Each structure stands twice: as structure tokens, then as C-alpha cells.
Amino acid sequence: MTHPRDVLLGAQAQAGFLPVCDHYSGVEVRMRKSLQLQAEMTEEFGTCVFDVTLDCEDGAPVGAEAQHAALVAALARDAAPGARVAARVHPVDHPAFANDIATIVGEAGHRLCHIMLPKVESVDDVLLAEKALQAASAGRLPLHVLIESPAAVHRAFEIAAHPSVQSMSFGLMDFVSAHGGAIPASGMTSAGQFTHPLVVRAKLEIASACHAHGKVPSHCVVTEFSDTAAMQSAAHRAAFDLGYTRMWSIHPAQIRPILAAFAPAQNEIESAAKIIAAGAGADWAPISFEGVLHDRASYRYFWQVLERAHQTGQALPVAVQPWFAPTCS
């Protein structure tokens, strides 16, 4: 039987389904602990529920960028089988960018799930990164891009349309500071980033651009990592108010609240499974299910509920389990 993903999603399936949490670390001991935690939680949930992005931009000591890139390459290369490991490199106009790509991608490109490219201002930056990946013999490695300025937000739809871009993230801190004091510091807080009109507008533009082109919108950080309530509230609002399907974590304590916020409720999962199973049994023709008409439009929605359940490690009904691999790789 044809896989529901192929039948229902079309071009949207090209971006793939990413774990809902993207966890960042840049100090060696924390990078190692992040990879170990990923392995432990993969065992716990039966699927890889978060990516680990090894950070060169903020993690590399000034003057030791080359050594840090070599460390990131070694950690990615030696990661456990099935691990989802990415690297955030320096911006394309930084002196360390070329070496980051040559070292990390050249030595460990086969183990990477994507490259995160910060401070993307236009498609020209994406083209430069794409060219560097091709030179490192990794031209098909997906790019995740970080949108951090008003001008970049303006070009979000054009950037999202590029075929190498798999996901777009919002860089809250740089975006606020780029306004020269016009946005107060409160715009960077867990509460203020959901109330200041310019910040909210930027988030919505990025989410809309991603959905228009079948890409994954990834929500920014919450810096108050010790405030569990703030983290849970921010993750819930990102998922349900702003249309984000992925979110950054900068502390291990943030990972589980993100998973919980982005996970569908159990009754939603059960209903979605019944509708998808019935639709598959009808070869995706319209059906009446419990007195309600369903066709490919609603099948698509309910399939995405199941995908999100799988990404967050939720138990899936037996009827739909064969469509999901036991682990992500």
C-alpha cells in the first residue's frame, strides 16, 4: 500500500519531518552530555525526539575557531548510530566560515542531518553556503537558516522558497537589537516576545513563509531556562498561536516541556488513527466517519497529527504503527 505521506503531502513531504526540539550546545562537556542525553531519550521514547546542534558560532572561543570546528567534526563523526547531529557554523561573511564547512562537513558530512546557517540576510547567503557544501562534496545536505534582522524577515518568503532550505528559525536577540532601541529589552523575555507587535509580526512572517513552501518553522529560544512555567507557556504559544512546529532548546531542562507542548492529546491521536486507517481502507476516497465527511484535505490534517505524535514520542495506535519507523536516522 502507498505510504500516506506520499499520497497526502505531495511537495510538503520533501522537507521531511523533523523532531520538534532542536537542542543547542557549544561547550565540549555540554556537547558530549547532549549527545548522551539524545541516545538515552531515543531509547526511552523509541524514536529520536530532538536534534543536537553543535554550535560553532557562539561556542567557539575567539581565535580558536579552527580547533573548535575540528572538535565538532570529531563529535559528529563519533556519535552513536541513529543520532541526529547538526552543526551551526559561522555566518558566510565570517573569516571562519570556509574552514567550518571544509572541516565539519568535509570530515563528518555523512553523519550530519543538516547545517544551521546564522545571520542569513538574503538568498545570496544561501547560495554561498550551497556552493561551499558542494565544494565539500555535501551538496545535498539540508540547510537550516536563522533569520535575525528586519531585512531578512522582509525576504523570508524568497529564502524559504530555496530548495536547499529545510527549516527557518527566528533569531530573537539579534532581531531586537537590530532595531536600535526601538524595541525594549522586554521584547527578548519569555513574555514580551509574544506581545510586542514587531516581534510577533516577524514570527508570523517566518512561520507563514515556511508553510507556504513546505518548510519547517522553528521557534526561538527562551533564555529563562530555569523557569519551567515560562518555558511551557512559550512552547505552547509557539505551537498553537503562531504555527511553529519546532523549537530551540538551550538547556536540557527545556527539552521535555517542548515535547509536551508540541505533542497532540491522546484523544486526538486516537481519532486521527481511526480516520487515517479508514481512509487508507478506502484508497483515500471520501468517506463518512461517525457522521462526518472526510477526504484528502482532512486526511492530510489527521496524518500530520500522527506525524507530530511520532516526533514527540507518543504511543501510536496499533493500526498506524506499520507506517512509522522505530527510530529516526
Side-chain angles (χ1 to χ4, degrees), residues 98-117:
N99 182 71
D100 282 352
I101 296 294
T103 300
I104 299 170
V105 177
E107 296 180 12
H110 63 292
R111 296 303 313 276
L112 298 174
C113 52
H114 63 267
I115 287 291
M116 167 55 78
L117 188 66

Side-chain angles (χ1 to χ4, degrees), residues 25 29 83 87 152 158 190 239 286 293-294 301:
S25 54
V29 63
E158 183 182 359
S190 59
L293 174 67
H294 290 284
Y301 171 83

